[in-house]
Amino acid sequence: MLNKKIMFVGGGLMAGGIIRAMALKQAINPSDMLVYEIVPERMKKLEEDYGVTAVGSIAEGVAQADVVLLALKPQIALSVAEEVKAHRKPGSFLFSICAGLTIETLSEAYGGDMPIVRTMPHGFSQVMQGVTGVCFGATCDDEVRQVSRSIIESFGSALEISEGQMDIFTGFCAVGALWVMHMVLPLRYGACEAGLTLEEAMDLALENLAGTVDLVKASGEHPRVVCDRILEPGGPAVRALNSLEKNGYYAAVVRNVKAGCDRATALS
Amino acid sequence: MYEGKTVFVNGGKSAETLIKSLMHNGGMPADKIHVVNEKLAGTLAQTCGLTEAVKYPDAMYGADIVIVDASAGASSVIPPLSVWLKEEAVVLFLDADEPLEQLIALVGGHGCAAQAVLSPLAAVGRGYSGIVPSAACGEAQIGAVVSLLEGIGKTMVLEEGRLPVFRALSKAEPALYLSLLTAMGDAGVYVGFNREDARSVTMENMLVTAKLLQETGKHPLEITDTWTSPSGVTIEALYETYKTCYEKIVLEGVEAALAQPGAAPK
């Protein structure tokens, strides 16, 4: 269990998901999660549901906290910097989940001596799983890195990347997740057209989805090698694969990922 | 775990996969599995610690489920098992293409029988096995087959007419997902990731998507609606998805899987 106090500056959807995950996984004593949220009903609900400590101001929270978890919209995240800077506990660090705000920007706003951790959670708080891209500012020591990893691992896994890869990570994850969802859809409708109920089709598609990942992980081999092994001559799998090839599936995937990453870069 | 007496009469790829997965993923001890076919028994003795092959007719006495592997092909000769079997025993045919009635005739007319299509993911204890019981099977027999095959994943009991659809999808879907994983690996490298990271992020996305849909019970589009923000990355990605007719490409893959081999493409 993490023996630190975390101050959540903002208690919206993302912060709420992290709080929920940390509380349910008992990653931290719930009362060590301090929250300031501008919408009082939201803060009260987090307090009631997970036992967090609601504080009356950002200043009150950051004065006690070892970690300042910045969970505000990027456009307002910098406006609270002065209050944090003036009242923060010495030795605390900033853990940002704000999209698009670079370490340099945050460092300028929050003071050069405050270690900055920039993250891009691509998790889904409902299921407490997903990958979070993380990069560390130059002043982050081993303890900051370790605490940050512990926070991230309570709601998924951490992938350390360079800051230059952050936009690519955002685009890649957004497109990837979307494409998985949009692969399930035609499988569901195709199966239903052929005679399975939508529920049967969905159960089959989702079990096969998770099972395929397990198969690749268990084998440790290239997905194509795994695929070749399950093909039967003239069988349905090889017919499906040939159809994808003929329709330019692979080029479409690469093009879409590129477009998503370009968009993420343009927005940053 | 299924605890009845299970006998495998012949050996093929499906029987071997089922036995290995029952032992590895289903926790079935070696002494619960009886194998008549000497070649299969020999292979399994080396890899799984099974004891030596059992012989007709002793092997059939008291058997609850007798498994015939249709993937072993025509060279595998099955004697008329019905004379040795107790009335309530089930003959389970694995991965057969023939109608159940024809299969029942093959083993001497033992009416209590079922067909099963195993998932290509059975080796890791995942995927669905599709089961078609004959009309003579009661709840107890269907329950026994379901219980046995739950040792290697999930099960779906179907009418015989829907088995070809189930078979096509359960074989094709893993291949389609593996294509996505392959393509995302290339796409990741193209935009600047190393292949290992691209693949592990994609696998995580696949697992999370499955979990999210299973746990929330929501329609996929209800979920993706919550991912899109005005002029953001995800809506741009969605626009590209529509432009490339991604779903149409996948749907045509599904249709190809469901088509009869050799049929003219649509």
Side-chain angles (χ1 to χ4, degrees), chain B residues 77 83 167 208:
Chain B
V77 179
V83 294
R167 183 201 319 271
V208 169

Side-chain angles (χ1 to χ4, degrees), chain B residues 176-197:
Chain B
L176 291 170
Y177 292 131
L178 287 164
S179 298
L180 178 60
L181 188 51
T182 304
M184 287 299 288
D186 288 336
V189 173
Y190 184 69
V191 295
F193 278 119
N194 68 52
R195 192 170 291 277
E196 197 184 329
D197 286 346

Side-chain angles (χ1 to χ4, degrees), chain A residues 190-207:
Chain A
C192 186
E193 186 186 357
L196 296 190
T197 65
L198 278 176
E199 195 184 3
E200 287 169 339
M202 192 64 153
D203 288 346
L204 185 64
L206 298 184
E207 175 60 17

Side-chain angles (χ1 to χ4, degrees), chain B residues 235-266:
Chain B
I235 195 71
E236 176 74 14
L238 187 59
Y239 170 62
E240 290 294 328
T241 303
Y242 291 143
K243 269 205 311 196
T244 49
C245 301
Y246 174 68
E247 286 184 29
K248 179 173 175 280
I249 295 175
V250 177
L251 191 56
E252 286 183 5
V254 174
E255 286 172 351
L258 290 166
Q260 290 299 311
K266 280 188 181 177

Side-chain angles (χ1 to χ4, degrees), chain B residues 62-76:
Chain B
D64 297 294
I65 298 180
V66 174
I67 296 174
V68 177
D69 182 356
S71 75
S75 60
S76 181

Side-chain angles (χ1 to χ4, degrees), chain A:
Chain A
M1 189 180 274
L2 195 59
N3 191 22
K4 300 281 178 192
K5 280 189 192 297
I6 303 176
M7 167 64 187
F8 288 81
V9 182
L13 202 63
M14 295 271 276
I18 295 172
I19 289 169
R20 176 174 176 267
M22 294 195 84
L24 294 182
K25 289 194 176 171
Q26 299 181 329
I28 191 169
N29 186 338
S31 62
D32 285 343
M33 291 191 280
L34 318 172
V35 183
Y36 179 77
E37 160 58 43
I38 201 158
V39 181
E41 297 80 20
R42 218 183 265 166
M43 188 155 70
K44 192 162 183 288
K45 181 142 179 54
L46 290 171
E47 197 178 13
E48 284 171 358
D49 289 353
Y50 307 115
V52 302
T53 306
V55 293
S57 67
I58 292 173
E60 182 191 335
V62 297
Q64 310 167 51
D66 304 291
V67 183
V68 178
L69 196 149
L70 195 60
L72 297 172
K73 289 195 186 326
Q75 55 270 34
I76 54 171
L78 301 180
S79 66
V80 301
E82 287 306 319
E83 190 176 356
V84 172
K85 230 170 27 175
H87 299 279
R88 78 177 180 93
K89 182 179 168 183
S92 61
F93 72 90
L94 188 75
F95 183 105
S96 167
I97 61 168
C98 304
L101 291 182
T102 63
I103 290 174
E104 191 182 353
T105 306
L106 289 166
S107 197
E108 278 170 13
Y110 284 84
D113 62 330
M114 189 175 194
I116 311 281
V117 180
R118 182 182 171 194
T119 67
M120 187 65 223
H122 187 72
F124 306 95
S125 53
Q126 296 102 312
V127 293
M128 295 184 280
Q129 199 174 326
V131 187
T132 291
V134 56
C135 55
F136 298 98
T139 56
C140 293
D141 59 17
D142 285 349
E143 199 196 347
V144 168
R145 287 167 187 264
Q146 199 184 328
V147 172
S148 300
R149 282 185 179 279
S150 298
I151 295 171
I152 294 167
E153 281 162 10
S154 68
F155 57 90
S157 57
L159 179 67
E160 188 171 344
I161 52 181
S162 67
E163 190 163 31
Q165 287 180 309
M166 203 52 111
D167 297 329
I168 295 170
F169 176 80
T170 305
F172 185 76
C173 286
V175 178
L178 199 68
W179 277 51
V180 178
M181 279 291 186
H182 281 263
M183 180 168 252
V184 169
L185 278 172
L187 292 179
R188 190 168 171 262
Y189 290 126
C192 186
E193 186 186 357
L196 296 190
T197 65
L198 278 176
E199 195 184 3
E200 287 169 339
M202 192 64 153
D203 288 346
L204 185 64
L206 298 184
E207 175 60 17
N208 281 335
L209 176 56
T212 301
V213 174
D214 283 355
L215 188 66
V216 175
K217 284 185 173 173
S219 77
E221 291 173 311
H222 191 287
R224 265 301 163 97
V225 174
V226 177
C227 194
D228 284 356
R229 199 174 309 116
I230 63 172
L231 296 183
E232 297 161 344
V238 75
R239 294 200 300 271
L241 286 184
N242 288 346
S243 172
L244 293 191
E245 295 267 9
K246 274 188 278 189
N247 285 314
Y249 175 80
Y250 297 93
V253 173
V254 177
R255 265 203 312 274
N256 283 18
V257 169
K258 174 80 165 57
C261 293
D262 287 349
R263 182 67 183 160
T265 307
L267 286 174
S268 68

